[in-house]
Amino acid sequence: MAELTGLQNIGPTLAKQLQQMAITTPTELEAAGSKAAFAAIKKVNPHACIQLLYSLEGAIEDCAYPQLPAATREDLKQYFRALA
């Protein structure tokens, strides 16, 4: 868990959720991608919000989620709406 919590936007709660999805390292998160990781979490937590999706992408891109480029945020927003 320590490796995951070393990433931006990943706290202990989100790290535990990722571990439940068999994502235990930053490399595994990057390989899975934010969308797939989010979809897996949403299956067990239907209340997962778009901020979680942004947080995952920010962790992969090594930036705070509010700093994600507008195009990336829009792409993620469309993905989130498609899952609803």
Side-chain angles (χ1 to χ4, degrees), residues 49-78:
C49 65
I50 194 164
Q51 183 178 345
L52 191 146
L53 178 56
Y54 291 157
S55 294
L56 291 168
E57 184 63 28
I60 291 168
E61 293 190 24
D62 192 27
C63 70
Y65 73 86
Q67 296 173 338
L68 288 170
T72 300
R73 290 174 68 93
E74 185 58 34
D75 177 59
L76 294 173
K77 190 183 301 182
Q78 288 178 16

